């Protein structure tokens, strides 16, 4: 990782650096952070001669020689100084809550509009809503392009950023065109590297867009999760939230095996924000408040919670796992109270 | 389950009831609770004629026909009205904290005395200390009877109840003789039904003694855990705390797979107190505070935490997973704050 | 599922049936089997009126009312009468062995040519070779389009069908254009429904193409695995082999947790062939022969094995998990011997 | 591990060696093998001076300095040269099959007698039968001492050795007094070190007695399993069979998660025989033949299979998981055929 003295390299400087690394079969990938642009060396970085020549350039501050399977996502990387802002929330300064229904019902758009308004009122700072849904049964409802308009209308009415899952390049293009600013990658595609790369490319020059990357379904290694995020970041947009959401095998009684406990392990290795999804983890509304609080206890930066004004009328997973906006409000008060007490935040914010 | 109108049956009444059930190859097991004695029918309870005859007796209030694999531990059982007191702490009224070293070092008793005093000062209301230890390696230190005297001396000095693990009947007898009032059953013996029965028998008439029953190592079913407790309760002493302590397979990065999330599932089925052991769960001191808070978030009634005045000097698991008394104090303040906020307890108690 | 009396419906008949189901918001999907074409009703099949009207048509034999999350893959479905042929091997008549290197080295094509020839000589009836590879580390070698030419040259030289993994629509198109006849979907994309659908569409009219669908990484439910295959079959090409390949959490000592034992559970529910990949399961060459034999013991129809003439020179997973062609030959003799003894096949075939 | 030149040390020699190691706080534990007696040093073996002094004695052949958590069970240990004989079967020379009902019904002894005769006729060389049973539900039938007489009568009638589970010291004493020669330790007591030690002590001078040690319920490490066996062997009787029997979490569709695949991992580390229990692993009779064959494929030395002449009349697990003697016979023919082909055994034996 090359760190320039100035906020970024001039075109001439970039040319020179590119020329040097190309002698060693490497390439340069600029990563535009909020504070300054840094430059990843893609290829085998272990050429000491190459490193020394770059380090010797008078406009280079220093080179980070981080030995890590994920050099951009590594917490020792310079990107850790950046900050991620979702709507009005600066991650790390207050607890982020994303809420909304599992799946937008294209035949009943009002459920979404009412839910969006209600979760905002309850304290959510971003709205989630499934336009397209991965379904185990191929003959189940898979979502509808019409729901995308409903999602964006919800965004307009509430003034909040919206989060929706994309499963392929076609959906990705539609979502970005419509103005979605939080792209969700689901557990089933958490290791779909072609999709992650396509997202990374598509948002490389869209700093207003971020990605909520769910953890894969299996009790897999931490490094695999963070490395998946690296696929996105490698194209230059590091706005990534890692999202534990429960794993398989399940804990007898829940939908999945709660895994908010993975949060401190992630934070030890990466600077990325961790936003936990307790709804898919436990899979029943009655357990969501405890699981939310546990996520905060483990250091989560945010929560992604399914909520619906009338859960029984929801399509998708709502009838089982969505909390009502009233339950959401109580949950948020308690979760923010704990978050603030853990971060020595001013009491005023918790109120 | 037979519930008498008075606080207990007279000997004549008990005789009559026993005679009736014996006609149906059943037996009567009295369970002496704090409020009143109830009477379990051991054997096949599904004889309607038997049930009706007992229900017709004028000194019988009613019969609980609970269909459950664990009729005494079932939360619908009358025992749920009882309360468990550990030292000065009434479970459910404030957060119980048991703390102390993994293993008492018989060659350095002062470490235990100092730790016991320090964890009491930090807020613990009971002391743990391993006298005998199950060790994977048969040639590792397995504990020493000498440590039992040290444990009891620590109890005397602090005035707090002490908790130690027993692994067989010989240790059980020694521990009870010495005055241990919290018997711990470890994860490796969590389904050792002969031991559980022996404990149940030994403490049947010792209401001052309680059992901390660890969860087995595997990701097993909830019912199996609660049924193991039923083995103890079936002899009449229902002073049981269920203790999740992490399971296998491990979460990559921790010693085990944190399982405090099992707490709400347990509480839905049983009235028993849940006391979580975050130390064995995560296995590294640095993660213990988060895991403790998460346990409280999930509704735990207490925590069992390894602590040592000089963790590096500890034998057993201490060097890796024990927190210092100072860390314990900070952890307790935060955990009690959360517990109190969840139970609308008076702020004064949190201080 | 609609079964015509003749081998297929005439265009006029198909029109009539389509008209009927469209009244109930359903559609017709023809599935062209080897013996005859059957017609799936896509949508809510539970309209008794619709079913009765179709059943009353004089050119309709009967309607299969299979209640299953996967109506085409269900073993009670008429498709179970079909047969899958890979190269010269009719699945179910002899044990299929697919073998070859993990990843084709574009800089050393001869390794692939020599390996292809050697595994054919050792008894393999199809060749595998990775052109594109999903890699945890985004900066690792991800494969090369040049390898596709090498793969097809290997196919030409050996006269055997070739199997390669595709991870997105671009690779799918390239592979089909080049003439690949076994498309592999890897464990990381096993639930990537957009990709499965794209494959289903792309091969709907290519009965010479089949799919080797790996099991997902997690210890997930059987139905989820078979339902993923339904995404492909729903477009009309049922040439699908289900491929267990080990799951996570790992069995301490292996790369994954061997799961050939899932075979009888799959076969109880679906007619699809099961081809086990022991190489990824155990992850070390020395264990591959035992795991191969165990797969046959559990009823597998085939094996997919990594092999390389010089494993240490392989890129990808070869150095650890590839067997040599000599080891492959011994393994095949033993595995075929067991397969034949279990299927009462003529001894001659085992030779 | 001290290896004498002669088949064992004389009392005088033993005294001298004991005196030397006691200077270093160690003790000597003789292990009487079939070929010769070897002598374990219990305590810290890393005193070079101690080792050198012993090695210098003229009646000492050499000292094995094996660095292993289990020095006796380690496959590099001299004990690996020993052989275990169960009834007429020398382990490693032919496949051992232990068969019989889950639980002996004390009210219907003829079921056991008939089953014992039938499984012998089908090819079993040892008989299993549960006298005492660990049951999740404390109110379920837990076995009966009367069944011990039935078990021994079955042994007398068939002339075969019998295997039964013991769960505590009282049962252990009863079983040994009655003449049981295969003591089974169940999965729930697999890490009950007090019991393992008690067994080790009780059979130290009974070379005709062996132990079938089940694997614990969890997906735990290999070393933990072998170390548990070391607790028994440490007292001098190394007649131990390791018994994988399925783990938790379960494979959806089976009772447990089949784990015969652990066999090669065990054999790489220990010389102990591996006898797989497919009945508890899969938990349904229909899957037992495949699982048995898979166990042999993975290198098992024997099988422990539940069988009952009328499975539906069995108590315990029989109705679900017992095969009939006829099914057992077919299974044994196939399993022996595979075993023999893998061990180049004379065809005659397979007949």
């Amino acid at each position: 990782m090359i760190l320039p003295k100035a906020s970024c390299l001039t075109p001439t400087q970039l040319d020179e650096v590119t020329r040097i690394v190309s002698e060693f079969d490497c390439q340069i990938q600029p990563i535009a952070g909020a504070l300054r642009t840094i430059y990843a060396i893609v290829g085998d970085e272990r050429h000491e001669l190459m490193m020394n020549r770059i380090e010797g350039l008078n406009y280079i501050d220093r080179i980070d020689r981080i030995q890590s399977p994920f050099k951009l996502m590594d917490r020792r990387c310079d990107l850790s100084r950046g900050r991620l802002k979702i709507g009005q929330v600066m991650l790390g300064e207050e607890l982020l809550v994303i809420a909304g229904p599992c799946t937008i019902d294209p035949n009943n758009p009002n459920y979404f509009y009412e839910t969006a308004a209600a979760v905002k009122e309850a304290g959510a700072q971003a709205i989630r809503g499934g336009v397209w849904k991965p379904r185990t049964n191929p003959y189940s409802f898979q979502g509808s392009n019409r729901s995308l308009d409903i999602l964006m209308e919800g965004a307009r009415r509430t003034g909040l950023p919206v989060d929706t899952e994309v499963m392929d390049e076609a959906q990705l293009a539609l979502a970005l065109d419509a103005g979605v600013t939080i792209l969700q990658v689901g557990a089933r595609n958490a290791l779909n590297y072609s999709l992650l790369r396509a997202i990374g490319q598509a948002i490389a020059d869209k700093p207003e867009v971020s990605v909520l990357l769910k953890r894969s379904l299996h009790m897999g290694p931490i490094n695999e999760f963070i490395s998946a995020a690296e696929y996105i970041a490698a194209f230059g947009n590091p706005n990534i939230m890692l999202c534990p959401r429960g794993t398989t095998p399940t804990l007898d009684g829940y939908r999945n095996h709660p895994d908010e406990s993975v949060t401190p392990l992630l934070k030890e290795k990466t600077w990325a924000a961790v936003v936990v999804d307790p709804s898919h983890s436990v899979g029943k509304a009655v357990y969501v408040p405890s699981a939310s609080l546990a996520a905060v206890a483990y250091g989560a930066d945010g929560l992604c919670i399914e909520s619906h004004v009338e859960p029984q009328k929801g399509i998708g997973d709502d009838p089982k796992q969505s909390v009502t906006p009233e339950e959401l409000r109580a949950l948020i008060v308690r979760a923010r109270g704990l978050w603030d007490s853990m971060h020595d935040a001013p009491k005023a914010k918790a109120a």
Side-chain angles (χ1 to χ4, degrees), chain A residues 122-188:
Chain A
Q125 305 111 329
I127 308 293
R128 60 154 288 151
V131 170
W132 306 284
K133 297 299 295 180
R135 304 298 298 271
T136 304
N137 186 332
Y139 308 113
S140 297
F141 176 67
Q142 311 268 333
S144 159
N145 287 359
R146 280 187 293 140
S147 298
L148 185 57
D149 297 330
I150 302 170
L151 178 72
M152 296 318 298
E153 174 64 15
R156 203 190 54 73
R157 293 191 188 186
T158 56
L160 296 182
V162 288
D163 156 41
T164 206
E165 178 173 351
V166 295
M167 290 175 284
D168 54 47
E169 295 192 40
Q171 294 171 3
L172 169 63
L174 287 170
L176 288 175
D177 280 357
V180 170
T181 54
I182 310 175
L183 299 168
Q184 184 174 307
V185 177
R188 289 166 188 77

Side-chain angles (χ1 to χ4, degrees), chain A residues 1-11 13-15 17-18 21 27-32 36-42 45 54 59-60 62-64 71-72 78-79:
Chain A
M1 193 73 58
I2 304 167
L3 293 87
K5 285 182 177 155
S7 66
C8 69
L9 295 178
T10 65
Q13 291 167 344
L14 183 54
D15 271 2
V17 170
T18 303
V21 302
Q27 290 167 292
I28 290 295
Q29 171 63 54
I31 318 282
R36 61 171 167 173
T37 301
I38 62 176
Y39 301 83
I41 302 170
V42 181
E45 277 185 306
I54 296 169
Y59 49 84
I60 296 299
R62 64 189 166 85
I63 288 189
D64 260 0
K71 45 190 170 185
L72 296 177
D78 199 67
L79 286 174

